[in-house]
Amino acid sequence: QVHVVETGGGLAQPGGSLRLSCTASGNLANLVAMGWYRQFPGKTRELVALVTAEGGTNYADSAKGRFSISRDSAKNILYLQMNSLKAEDTAVYFCMVSTGYLHWGQGTQVTVSS
């Protein structure tokens, strides 16, 4: 059983910053990757950024240069630092933990608005 909890969403102004955190607990012995996804209303969930167990990272084009993913492997905490936020970043952000199976958090709302 793997438990995933996101924190850190909220309201930011355009050009501002937010940092999301994700804490994973449970059986993580077969961890493959952790990542952040987002979902716009009426759309399917899309990748924002991902980090593998070996430390490799992958970013969506929309996130490159603005967002940074990092992981505290000792504490199994995943972060997403989001800078230069735009209104189009407004979405529900989900943390994903892959152990071969995909485990999801409940999501956290990020709203970028003046």
Side-chain angles (χ1 to χ4, degrees):
Q1 187 75 10
V2 174
H3 193 51
V4 181
V5 178
E6 306 102 335
T7 57
L11 176 65
Q13 292 191 337
S17 298
L18 282 175
R19 189 174 83 155
L20 305 182
S21 300
C22 167
T23 301
S25 59
N27 186 3
L28 300 172
N30 297 317
L31 183 68
V32 174
M34 297 178 72
W36 290 99
Y37 287 70
R38 65 186 181 185
Q39 189 167 16
F40 303 109
K43 302 291 186 181
T44 57
R45 210 166 287 185
E46 64 179 38
L47 174 70
V48 177
L50 178 145
V51 57
T52 69
E54 295 77 23
T57 58
N58 186 34
Y59 290 89
D61 287 343
S62 59
K64 290 177 181 176
R66 299 189 301 128
F67 295 1
S68 178
I69 192 169
S70 60
R71 181 168 74 98
D72 183 331
S73 57
K75 298 179 180 178
N76 290 314
I77 300 176
L78 183 72
Y79 301 100
L80 184 69
Q81 178 66 43
M82 302 187 294
N83 299 325
S84 302
L85 283 163
K86 305 176 183 179
E88 49 264 43
D89 294 317
T90 296
V92 179
Y93 286 70
F94 294 88
C95 179
M96 181 280 297
V97 175
S98 174
T99 60
Y101 295 98
L102 299 186
H103 309 273
W104 297 92
Q106 78 287 352
T108 185
Q109 177 70 46
V110 170
T111 302
V112 183
S113 175
S114 56

